[in-house]
Amino acid sequence: MTRQALESAFAGESMAHMRYLIYADIAEKEGFPNVARLFRAIAHAEMVHARNHLKRLADVKEPREILGGASIGLGKTSENLGYAIMGEEFEVNEMYPIYIEIARKQGEKAAEVSFYYALEAEKIHAELFRKAKEHVDKGEDFPIDGYIWICPVCGYTVISKEPPAKCPICGVLGKDFAKF
């Protein structure tokens, strides 16, 4: 069950990564450069999650049919933010809590940690997308004072002028964060 959860999470995070890059292009074209930057930064965080899940699947060598639940949609920036919020909230409220419990019950500590890292970062992503949507719905770009920083280990995301000294989720040093 844990392997199936990892496969599904890998697929879902991979799809989110691609959707957010596409959404970023749309936001850019519609005149929302900071929303585009937010989508690109969070796409990077989703890639971190996908990589973490794939590392836990390194022993799977045969072809697999993998299904990942994801909100699918494509529209204007406000709609795309709505789709992103739905996807993040699904991961926070349903998917990752269940996957964490499965991994815990099966004694799969590495998978549990991978799911936990993603869950904690997704909470932040949902909130950032909600705030961005409030501005876009008023015809405004999302104000970003500083940079968007992404932890390379867990995908923790923060907006500030400087990265944190260390990640509050996984403890990696802020100097290693990706800057958007």
Side-chain angles (χ1 to χ4, degrees):
M1 286 178 66
T2 299
R3 185 174 88 173
Q4 288 174 330
L6 283 165
E7 290 171 348
S8 178
F10 170 70
E13 297 292 358
S14 298
M15 288 188 289
H17 170 79
M18 289 309 302
R19 269 194 328 277
Y20 294 168
L21 291 177
I22 294 165
Y23 292 171
D25 291 343
I26 292 168
E28 194 84 52
K29 287 177 186 162
E30 291 182 358
F32 300 110
N34 284 338
V35 174
R37 187 162 46 131
L38 180 66
F39 273 129
R40 287 186 183 105
I42 294 178
H44 183 78
E46 305 301 358
M47 186 268 307
V48 169
H49 300 157
R51 181 184 61 224
N52 288 344
H53 301 330
L54 185 60
K55 283 180 180 178
R56 275 55 179 193
L57 293 166
D59 64 331
V60 178
K61 305 297 184 201
E62 74 277 1
R64 303 281 302 154
E65 182 175 317
I66 299 175
L67 303 173
S71 60
I72 302 293
L74 187 62
K76 293 184 179 272
T77 299
S78 177
E79 294 169 295
N80 294 340
L81 285 163
Y83 298 136
I85 293 164
M86 281 190 318
E88 300 295 325
E89 287 178 346
F90 168 75
E91 290 174 334
V92 167
N93 297 321
E94 296 179 46
M95 188 178 95
Y96 280 122
I98 291 168
Y99 289 177
I100 288 168
E101 191 58 29
I102 289 168
R104 185 176 295 136
K105 286 187 187 269
Q106 293 192 318
E108 297 284 348
K109 186 65 176 167
E112 183 182 344
V113 168
S114 188
F115 295 147
Y116 171 76
Y117 284 173
L119 172 66
E120 293 305 308
E122 304 301 13
K123 291 175 185 176
I124 297 164
H125 300 164
E127 183 59 27
L128 288 171
F129 284 143
R130 275 193 289 279
K131 288 178 181 177
K133 188 172 183 340
E134 288 174 12
H135 287 276
V136 169
D137 287 347
K138 293 188 255 181
E140 308 166 352
D141 197 9
F142 182 47
I144 296 176
D145 185 25
Y147 301 98
I148 306 168
W149 300 93
I150 306 293
C151 175
V153 173
C154 71
Y156 170 75
T157 304
V158 64
I159 297 174
S160 64
K161 294 193 187 313
E162 298 292 329
K166 69 177 191 171
C167 179
I169 297 173
C170 71
V172 76
L173 295 178
K175 70 177 182 59
D176 296 327
F177 276 42
K179 176 171 80 171
F180 291 83

